[in-house]
Amino acid sequence: MKRKVPLFDSLGRPIWFDREEFRDHVIPENLKAEWDNPQELYDFVVQIFRDGFIEEAERGADRLLELYQRDEGTLVLKAAVLLRKGDDVGAEKLLLECIGKYPDRGVAHTFLARVYSRRGDREGALSALMQGLRLEPNQEMALRWLVELHQEKKEDPVAALKPFAEIAGAFWPQLELGRLHLEADRISEAIRWFEAAVEVTRGLRREQEPPSYDEEMAVMTSTAKLLQRGLRDEVIEFCRKFWLPTFATPFAGLDYVQALEEAGRVQEGIGVLKEMLPYLLPEYRSFVDKRLHHLESKSLVRGR
């Protein structure tokens, strides 16, 4: 069976192509069309890089270096492409250039840690990773890697993560701490860290401002982890405190609804869905509307 590759339209809907057709026709046409449009070209290059079209992504990344005058994002993107190609020396050179130009930023440090790790330099990798997280602690994958490095050595990852949770604006370290405590069946401690993560994101906006995506992410990550563990009542209580109908994505709200449905509180679940529908991004409304109709039908059956 041939592998399919998506190209997303202006509404975020996928249009599927055979991989060969995508490489031979879609990529060249889109690179040509967006060659002088920096943001559109960047988005497309990131997509084809993730889909494994490395040579094509490198061509686009080179153009982005010109358009953005070798800024942080394009230097890191080109370095990531070179790392995928196995050119560690070239990647290191670009990452060091990026660190020199943007000394207060952390992402280049965490990519540099990958270079050192591939050379077998665990201490160098750990040092670069820690520096990257000190500068930018909300790097999810870097935090997960830090946990893995400590677990490999039978060291306590909780102790390693806590200093990053104390950095102003940090919330992903708290989410990772919550995950670790949850896996160890320390439920109340896990919830405490999840709540701390959401409180940080809430503190970054004024009361009248709409919730940020970081706030949504903190809530949806927490509810997903709790629901995966079957903690129905804890999800309901967490959402009662932190879920907002004005979230642009439905994920935390759908976790809330599932927990309410499992608890036999179908009408409350219907109410949550109705509250959230007007605020959702267009691409999510159809799915949530179907969920609403399902619960309404279930409610009618029960009422007979």
Side-chain angles (χ1 to χ4, degrees):
M1 184 176 180
K2 289 186 176 181
R3 289 179 61 192
K4 298 281 188 176
V5 180
L7 180 68
F8 296 93
D9 66 15
S10 60
L11 295 177
R13 297 172 299 196
I15 304 169
W16 295 91
F17 296 88
D18 290 335
R19 192 169 180 83
E20 294 77 12
E21 181 185 3
F22 195 84
R23 174 185 283 115
D24 295 340
H25 300 289
V26 176
I27 291 178
E29 290 171 6
N30 277 268
L31 287 177
K32 182 178 179 180
E34 308 299 357
W35 198 246
D36 295 316
N37 301 317
Q39 186 58 57
E40 291 79 1
L41 181 61
Y42 182 90
D43 292 342
F44 185 65
V45 170
V46 169
Q47 180 192 340
I48 61 177
F49 171 65
R50 288 174 175 167
D51 288 332
F53 298 101
I54 306 306
E55 292 182 8
E56 295 81 0
E58 183 174 16
R59 179 168 174 247
D62 286 337
R63 174 60 175 161
L64 287 167
L65 285 171
E66 297 174 5
L67 292 172
Y68 282 103
Q69 299 180 329
R70 305 177 76 83
D71 73 350
E72 181 193 19
T74 55
L75 285 166
V76 170
L77 177 59
K78 179 62 186 291
V81 172
L82 294 179
L83 280 171
R84 184 78 68 87
K85 289 181 66 178
D87 183 1
D88 293 359
V89 173
E92 181 180 20
K93 182 178 178 181
L94 287 175
L95 292 169
L96 290 174
E97 177 186 343
C98 186
I99 290 168
K101 292 178 74 172
Y102 303 95
D104 296 330
R105 304 288 289 171
V107 174
H109 288 276
T110 56
F111 272 88
L112 191 60
R114 297 284 178 188
V115 175
Y116 297 150
S117 178
R118 281 158 61 148
R119 291 176 183 166
D121 181 2
R122 183 184 186 277
E123 293 307 313
L126 186 58
S127 176
L129 185 61
M130 297 280 282
Q131 178 62 9
L133 287 169
R134 278 190 287 268
L135 292 168
E136 292 188 70
N138 292 323
Q139 298 183 67
E140 178 187 5
M141 298 312 298
L143 290 163
R144 190 65 59 86
W145 187 23
L146 180 66
V147 168
E148 292 170 359
L149 287 173
H150 282 80
Q151 289 175 334
E152 286 171 4
K153 293 289 186 178
K154 309 297 183 185
E155 298 167 349
D156 181 15
V158 170
L161 285 173
K162 280 185 175 180
F164 299 113
E166 297 173 2
I167 298 173
F171 68 93
W172 263 113
Q174 290 89 319
L175 292 174
E176 190 65 10
L177 284 160
R179 180 185 71 85
L180 290 171
H181 284 294
L182 197 61
E183 290 177 354
D185 290 321
R186 296 187 290 267
I187 306 303
S188 60
E189 188 70 4
I191 292 173
R192 184 177 74 82
W193 282 111
F194 288 148
E195 290 183 344
V198 180
E199 292 290 1
V200 168
T201 62
R202 283 190 164 185
L204 298 176
R205 66 172 171 91
R206 295 185 180 90
E207 188 174 344
Q208 301 304 318
E209 290 179 342
S212 67
Y213 185 69
D214 285 345
E215 185 175 339
E216 287 194 45
M217 179 62 72
V219 175
M220 75 173 78
T221 300
S222 303
T223 59
K225 297 295 184 188
L226 293 169
L227 199 60
Q228 286 167 7
R229 291 297 301 271
L231 299 170
R232 181 196 70 194
D233 294 341
E234 287 81 356
V235 170
I236 292 172
E237 179 61 19
F238 192 90
C239 288
R240 190 187 65 78
K241 290 181 180 178
F242 297 112
W243 175 77
L244 294 173
T246 51
F247 286 163
T249 63
F251 306 110
L254 289 173
D255 288 340
Y256 192 9
V257 170
Q258 182 176 335
L260 288 168
E261 183 181 10
E262 290 176 2
R265 297 158 63 176
V266 174
Q267 286 299 326
E268 290 179 62
I270 290 171
V272 168
L273 291 170
K274 286 182 176 179
E275 271 192 282
M276 64 197 283
L277 260 172
Y279 301 99
L280 292 175
L281 292 171
E283 57 263 35
Y284 298 118
R285 290 175 188 163
S286 175
F287 176 79
V288 173
D289 199 45
K290 289 176 183 177
R291 185 79 170 95
L292 175 59
H293 287 313
H294 167 75
L295 279 192
E296 287 177 331
S297 298
K298 187 173 183 177
S299 176
L300 287 173
V301 170
R302 285 189 173 184
R304 289 176 183 172

Coordinates of all heavy atoms in Angstrom, one line a residue, residues 87-128:
D87 N 25.1 15.2 9.0 CA 26.2 16.2 8.9 C 26.3 16.9 10.3 O 25.9 18.1 10.4 CB 26.0 17.2 7.8 CG 27.1 18.2 7.6 OD1 28.1 18.1 8.4 OD2 27.0 19.1 6.8
D88 N 26.9 16.2 11.3 CA 27.0 16.8 12.6 C 27.9 18.0 12.7 O 27.6 19.0 13.4 CB 27.5 15.8 13.6 CG 26.5 14.6 13.8 OD1 25.4 14.7 13.2 OD2 26.8 13.7 14.6
V89 N 28.9 18.0 11.9 CA 29.9 19.2 11.9 C 29.2 20.4 11.3 O 29.3 21.5 11.9 CB 31.1 18.8 11.0 CG1 32.0 20.0 10.9 CG2 31.9 17.7 11.7
G90 N 28.5 20.3 10.2 CA 27.8 21.4 9.7 C 26.7 21.9 10.6 O 26.5 23.1 10.8
A91 N 26.0 21.0 11.3 CA 25.0 21.4 12.2 C 25.6 22.1 13.4 O 25.0 23.2 13.8 CB 24.2 20.2 12.7
E92 N 26.7 21.6 13.9 CA 27.3 22.3 15.1 C 27.7 23.7 14.7 O 27.6 24.6 15.5 CB 28.5 21.5 15.5 CG 29.2 22.1 16.7 CD 30.4 21.2 17.2 OE1 30.9 20.4 16.4 OE2 30.8 21.4 18.3
K93 N 28.3 23.9 13.5 CA 28.7 25.2 13.1 C 27.6 26.2 13.1 O 27.7 27.3 13.6 CB 29.4 25.1 11.7 CG 29.9 26.4 11.2 CD 30.6 26.3 9.8 CE 31.1 27.6 9.3 NZ 31.7 27.4 7.9
L94 N 26.4 25.8 12.6 CA 25.3 26.7 12.5 C 24.7 26.9 13.9 O 24.3 28.1 14.2 CB 24.2 26.0 11.7 CG 24.4 26.0 10.1 CD1 23.3 25.3 9.4 CD2 24.5 27.4 9.6
L95 N 24.7 25.9 14.8 CA 24.2 26.1 16.1 C 25.1 27.0 16.9 O 24.6 27.9 17.7 CB 24.0 24.7 16.8 CG 22.9 23.8 16.2 CD1 23.1 22.4 16.7 CD2 21.6 24.4 16.4
L96 N 26.4 26.9 16.8 CA 27.3 27.8 17.5 C 27.1 29.3 17.0 O 27.2 30.2 17.7 CB 28.7 27.4 17.3 CG 29.0 26.1 18.1 CD1 30.5 25.6 17.8 CD2 28.9 26.3 19.6
E97 N 26.9 29.4 15.7 CA 26.6 30.7 15.1 C 25.3 31.3 15.8 O 25.3 32.5 16.1 CB 26.4 30.6 13.6 CG 26.1 32.0 13.0 CD 25.8 31.9 11.5 OE1 26.1 30.9 10.8 OE2 25.1 32.8 10.9
C98 N 24.3 30.5 15.9 CA 23.0 30.9 16.5 C 23.2 31.3 17.9 O 22.7 32.3 18.4 CB 22.0 29.7 16.3 SG 20.4 30.2 16.9
I99 N 24.0 30.5 18.7 CA 24.2 30.8 20.1 C 25.0 32.1 20.2 O 24.7 33.0 21.1 CB 25.0 29.7 20.8 CG1 24.0 28.5 20.9 CG2 25.5 30.1 22.1 CD1 24.8 27.2 21.3
G100 N 25.9 32.4 19.3 CA 26.6 33.6 19.3 C 25.8 34.8 19.0 O 25.9 35.9 19.6
K101 N 24.8 34.7 18.1 CA 23.9 35.8 17.8 C 22.8 36.0 18.8 O 22.3 37.1 19.0 CB 23.3 35.5 16.4 CG 24.3 35.6 15.3 CD 23.7 35.3 13.9 CE 22.8 36.4 13.4 NZ 22.3 36.2 12.0
Y102 N 22.3 34.9 19.4 CA 21.2 34.9 20.3 C 21.6 34.2 21.6 O 21.1 33.2 22.0 CB 20.0 34.2 19.7 CG 19.6 34.8 18.3 CD1 20.1 34.2 17.2 CD2 18.8 35.9 18.3 CE1 19.7 34.8 15.9 CE2 18.4 36.5 17.0 CZ 18.9 35.9 15.9 OH 18.5 36.4 14.7
P103 N 22.4 34.9 22.4 CA 22.9 34.2 23.6 C 21.9 34.0 24.7 O 22.1 33.2 25.6 CB 24.0 35.2 24.1 CG 23.6 36.5 23.5 CD 23.0 36.2 22.2
D104 N 20.7 34.7 24.7 CA 19.7 34.5 25.7 C 18.7 33.5 25.3 O 17.7 33.3 26.0 CB 19.0 35.9 25.9 CG 20.0 36.9 26.5 OD1 20.9 36.5 27.2 OD2 19.8 38.1 26.2
R105 N 18.8 32.8 24.2 CA 17.9 31.8 23.7 C 18.4 30.4 23.9 O 19.6 30.2 24.0 CB 17.6 32.1 22.2 CG 17.1 33.4 21.9 CD 15.7 33.7 22.4 NE 14.7 32.9 21.6 CZ 13.4 32.8 21.8 NH1 12.9 33.3 22.9 NH2 12.7 32.1 21.0
G106 N 17.5 29.5 24.1 CA 17.9 28.1 24.5 C 17.8 27.0 23.5 O 18.4 26.0 23.7
V107 N 17.0 27.2 22.5 CA 16.7 26.1 21.6 C 18.0 25.6 20.9 O 18.2 24.3 20.8 CB 15.7 26.5 20.5 CG1 15.5 25.3 19.5 CG2 14.4 26.8 21.2
A108 N 18.9 26.5 20.5 CA 20.1 26.0 19.8 C 21.0 25.2 20.8 O 21.6 24.2 20.3 CB 20.9 27.2 19.3
H109 N 21.0 25.5 22.0 CA 21.7 24.7 23.0 C 21.2 23.3 23.1 O 21.9 22.3 23.2 CB 21.6 25.3 24.4 CG 22.4 26.6 24.5 ND1 23.8 26.6 24.8 CD2 22.0 27.9 24.5 CE1 24.2 27.8 24.9 NE2 23.2 28.6 24.7
T110 N 19.8 23.1 23.0 CA 19.3 21.8 23.1 C 19.5 21.0 21.9 O 19.7 19.7 21.9 CB 17.8 21.8 23.5 OG1 17.1 22.6 22.5 CG2 17.6 22.4 24.8
F111 N 19.6 21.6 20.7 CA 20.0 20.9 19.5 C 21.4 20.6 19.5 O 21.8 19.5 19.1 CB 19.6 21.8 18.3 CG 18.3 21.6 17.7 CD1 17.2 22.3 18.2 CD2 18.0 20.6 16.8 CE1 15.9 22.1 17.8 CE2 16.7 20.4 16.3 CZ 15.7 21.2 16.8
L112 N 22.3 21.5 20.1 CA 23.7 21.2 20.2 C 23.9 20.0 21.1 O 24.8 19.2 20.9 CB 24.4 22.4 20.8 CG 25.9 22.4 20.7 CD1 26.4 22.3 19.3 CD2 26.5 23.7 21.4
A113 N 23.1 19.8 22.1 CA 23.2 18.6 22.9 C 23.0 17.3 22.1 O 23.7 16.3 22.4 CB 22.1 18.7 24.0
R114 N 22.2 17.4 21.1 CA 22.0 16.2 20.2 C 23.3 15.9 19.5 O 23.7 14.7 19.3 CB 20.9 16.5 19.2 CG 19.6 16.7 19.8 CD 18.9 15.4 20.2 NE 17.6 15.6 20.8 CZ 16.9 14.6 21.4 NH1 17.4 13.4 21.5 NH2 15.8 14.9 21.9
V115 N 24.1 16.9 19.1 CA 25.4 16.7 18.4 C 26.3 16.0 19.4 O 27.0 15.0 19.0 CB 25.9 18.0 17.9 CG1 27.3 17.8 17.4 CG2 25.0 18.7 16.9
Y116 N 26.4 16.5 20.6 CA 27.3 15.9 21.6 C 26.9 14.5 21.9 O 27.8 13.6 22.1 CB 27.4 16.8 22.8 CG 27.9 18.2 22.6 CD1 27.5 19.2 23.4 CD2 28.9 18.4 21.6 CE1 28.0 20.5 23.2 CE2 29.3 19.7 21.4 CZ 28.9 20.7 22.2 OH 29.4 22.0 22.0
S117 N 25.6 14.2 22.0 CA 25.1 12.9 22.3 C 25.5 11.9 21.3 O 25.9 10.8 21.5 CB 23.6 12.9 22.5 OG 23.1 11.6 22.8
R118 N 25.4 12.3 20.0 CA 25.7 11.4 18.9 C 27.2 11.1 18.9 O 27.6 10.1 18.3 CB 25.3 12.0 17.6 CG 23.8 11.8 17.4 CD 23.1 12.8 16.4 NE 23.6 12.7 15.1 CZ 22.9 12.9 14.0 NH1 21.6 13.2 14.2 NH2 23.4 12.9 12.8
R119 N 28.0 12.0 19.5 CA 29.5 11.7 19.5 C 29.8 10.9 20.8 O 31.0 10.6 21.0 CB 30.2 13.0 19.6 CG 30.2 13.9 18.4 CD 30.9 15.2 18.6 NE 30.8 16.0 17.4 CZ 31.0 17.3 17.3 NH1 31.4 17.9 18.5 NH2 30.9 18.0 16.2
G120 N 28.8 10.5 21.6 CA 29.1 9.8 22.8 C 29.5 10.6 24.0 O 29.9 10.0 25.0
D121 N 29.4 11.9 23.8 CA 29.8 12.8 24.9 C 28.6 13.1 25.8 O 27.9 14.1 25.7 CB 30.4 14.1 24.3 CG 30.8 15.1 25.4 OD1 30.8 14.8 26.6 OD2 31.2 16.2 25.0
R122 N 28.3 12.2 26.8 CA 27.1 12.4 27.6 C 27.2 13.6 28.4 O 26.2 14.3 28.6 CB 26.9 11.1 28.5 CG 25.6 11.2 29.3 CD 25.5 10.0 30.3 NE 24.2 10.0 31.0 CZ 24.0 10.7 32.1 NH1 24.9 11.5 32.6 NH2 22.8 10.7 32.6
E123 N 28.3 13.9 29.0 CA 28.4 15.1 29.9 C 28.3 16.3 29.1 O 27.6 17.3 29.6 CB 29.8 15.0 30.6 CG 29.9 13.9 31.6 CD 28.8 13.9 32.6 OE1 28.4 14.9 33.2 OE2 28.2 12.8 32.8
G124 N 28.9 16.4 27.9 CA 28.7 17.6 27.1 C 27.2 17.7 26.7 O 26.7 18.9 26.6
A125 N 26.6 16.6 26.3 CA 25.2 16.7 26.0 C 24.3 17.2 27.1 O 23.4 18.1 27.0 CB 24.7 15.3 25.5
L126 N 24.6 16.7 28.3 CA 23.8 17.0 29.5 C 24.0 18.5 29.8 O 23.1 19.2 30.2 CB 24.2 16.2 30.7 CG 23.4 16.3 32.0 CD1 21.9 16.1 31.7 CD2 23.9 15.4 33.1
S127 N 25.3 19.0 29.7 CA 25.6 20.4 30.0 C 24.9 21.3 29.0 O 24.3 22.3 29.4 CB 27.1 20.6 29.9 OG 27.4 22.0 30.1
A128 N 24.9 21.0 27.7 CA 24.2 21.8 26.7 C 22.7 21.8 26.9 O 22.0 22.8 26.8 CB 24.6 21.3 25.3

